[in-house]
Amino acid sequence: GYNRLHILEIKLRTMTDMYRPPRVSEAKLTAYPHEERGQENGRAHDPVKFLQAAEQRARERQVAYETVRILRKDVIECYRKEGVNHYDKCKDVCEKYYNVVIKKDVGQVHPDWADKAKHDGW
């Protein structure tokens, strides 16, 4: 099990991580092509492409959520840094956050669906 010293080391490691510059991944993922269910009984023409397209939509959704999380963190940091002057100093950061949050599905990139009404939102 964990002893108190080990738990303290874990807490110190995570607390100091917030002062380090953010790490950026070098991985580049190519987008999978969009594939819809093509037949009347609900089966896809190509099941592999259909599953890859579903994975791509999940990726885009996660990117949108993480973008909002990062922008929200920027707003919080600005408020804490500027204190009572946050109304003036954090206006740009707040506008950037607001402009993303008010978008449909928080700015998630959607594929070009054949029937727009059927696939509106998640």
Side-chain angles (χ1 to χ4, degrees):
Y2 293 111
N3 60 21
R4 287 184 172 172
L5 183 61
H6 187 71
I7 293 172
L8 183 62
E9 287 174 1
I10 291 172
K11 284 184 180 177
L12 286 174
R13 210 174 325 138
T14 57
M15 289 174 62
T16 57
D17 284 346
M18 68 183 191
Y19 297 109
R20 293 187 183 138
R23 292 177 282 183
V24 179
S25 173
E26 297 295 324
K28 301 291 181 208
L29 299 174
T30 58
Y32 293 124
H34 174 62
E35 179 78 17
E36 293 190 39
R37 293 188 173 143
Q39 300 172 359
E40 57 277 345
N41 61 358
R43 290 187 161 189
H45 291 294
D46 186 351
V48 173
K49 284 185 180 178
F50 179 75
L51 290 174
Q52 287 178 335
E55 182 181 325
Q56 180 65 31
R57 290 191 304 274
R59 264 196 234 166
E60 295 294 343
R61 184 169 44 250
Q62 193 62 35
V63 167
Y65 292 160
E66 290 299 314
T67 302
V68 169
R69 187 183 66 80
I70 290 169
L71 290 174
R72 183 174 184 272
K73 190 171 111 180
D74 291 346
V75 169
I76 291 169
E77 285 178 6
C78 186
Y79 272 44
R80 288 180 180 164
K81 178 182 164 193
E82 299 300 336
V84 295
N85 298 328
H86 71 273
Y87 288 110
D88 298 326
K89 305 281 183 169
C90 300
K91 184 178 179 183
D92 296 336
V93 177
C94 291
E95 281 181 4
K96 193 174 179 183
Y97 174 68
Y98 175 76
N99 290 333
V100 170
V101 171
I102 62 168
K103 290 180 183 174
K104 176 180 170 281
D105 294 334
V106 291
Q108 177 183 345
V109 177
H110 288 285
D112 188 21
W113 295 99
D115 183 5
K116 303 272 189 225
K118 184 177 177 186
H119 303 286
D120 188 28
W122 296 99

